Amino acid sequence: MTVSIDPTATLWSAGPREGKPLLVLLHGYGADENDLFGLVPYLPNDIAVAAVAAPLTPPWPMPGRSWYPIDSLDTRDAAGITTAAEALLAWLDEVTEPTTPVALLGFSQGAAVSLQALRLAPSRIASVVALSGYAAMGELPHDARLREERPPVFWGRGSHDDVIPASLVAHTAQWLPDHAELSGRVYAGLTHSISEQELADVRVFLTKWRDAATAE
């Protein structure tokens, strides 16, 4: 199955975006492109921000959009995550120049897709913020490259988040330090959501990415 992202549904931050690093926001299951767009005031200045709509509609009566089907409560199909990441990369090729510095910020499903896109195209994605998400199981061809280059990744999650299966959290806790320059935090008492403290940490992380991108 192939899927595609509707570029007309993308929300863009105000002002000119030419010559600026691009941060792409990927929402979670049952949300849409509006969900994370409210984070823009909490993000660094002097970047372009795009919030994309996932390509699938979850089963009724769930509202919003989804990046891939959830096959069970305990597992997630890596093939569906890869398909969504490929659609994201195709959308990127449509809306940006190949030289544009790109970072991804994803929540839950969006975090899984963000990390998968990094694995598929490490030369295209400079950095990832993965919130309340995980790295998909299995090996991909560029994983060895990631071990060498160690791109910066922020992984934030709540201590009371019971949505992501414990096996995937454990896998991610092993996989990310081996494939990225990892920073992040487990936020005490936080459920499957985003806190103000987490946003403050994300802003610091993305400011470093912006400064590195604009210094090149």
Side-chain angles (χ1 to χ4, degrees):
M1 180 181 68
T2 60
V3 298
S4 61
I5 292 173
D6 180 4
T8 66
T10 302
L11 299 179
W12 290 92
S13 54
R17 55 182 186 264
E18 291 76 12
K20 293 181 179 180
L22 172 64
L23 175 66
V24 183
L25 307 179
L26 288 77
H27 62 79
Y29 185 80
D32 60 25
E33 67 277 12
N34 296 284
D35 186 56
L36 296 181
F37 200 64
L39 300 183
V40 170
Y42 299 91
L43 300 173
N45 298 322
D46 299 322
I47 63 172
V49 181
V52 293
L56 303 179
T57 302
W60 187 88
M62 176 64 71
R65 312 288 300 173
S66 71
W67 288 98
Y68 51 88
I70 295 179
D71 50 324
S72 81
L73 293 178
D74 298 317
T75 64
R76 302 289 187 272
D77 181 13
I81 302 171
T82 297
T83 297
E86 290 171 342
L88 176 69
L89 293 168
W91 170 86
L92 264 181
D93 287 341
E94 291 181 17
V95 302
T96 66
E97 297 295 328
T99 56
T100 301
V102 176
L104 307 177
L105 185 159
F107 177 79
S108 195
Q109 275 201 347
V113 174
S114 296
L115 290 171
Q116 202 77 338
L118 173 67
R119 297 170 69 183
L120 292 174
S123 62
R124 193 73 173 95
I125 309 301
S127 189
V128 167
V129 174
L131 305 180
S132 302
Y134 62 94
M137 298 283 195
E139 291 288 327
L140 290 175
H142 294 303
D143 284 352
R145 176 177 174 176
L146 294 183
R147 286 192 185 95
E148 294 180 4
E149 298 182 355
R150 302 181 65 79
V153 171
F154 180 94
W155 183 34
R157 62 186 183 88
S159 65
H160 286 51
D161 184 349
D162 58 1
V163 172
I164 304 302
S167 60
L168 290 176
V169 173
H171 166 72
T172 306
Q174 291 186 332
W175 191 91
L176 275 177
D178 193 37
H179 294 81
E181 188 63 39
L182 178 63
S183 58
R185 184 170 168 183
V186 178
Y187 297 87
L190 185 65
T191 58
H192 195 65
S193 58
I194 302 173
S195 69
E196 289 188 10
Q197 180 59 62
E198 189 172 31
L199 282 177
D201 293 339
V202 167
R203 184 184 179 95
V204 171
F205 178 84
L206 288 174
T207 298
K208 293 178 181 178
W209 158 73
R210 178 204 64 189
D211 292 348
T214 55
E216 294 179 354

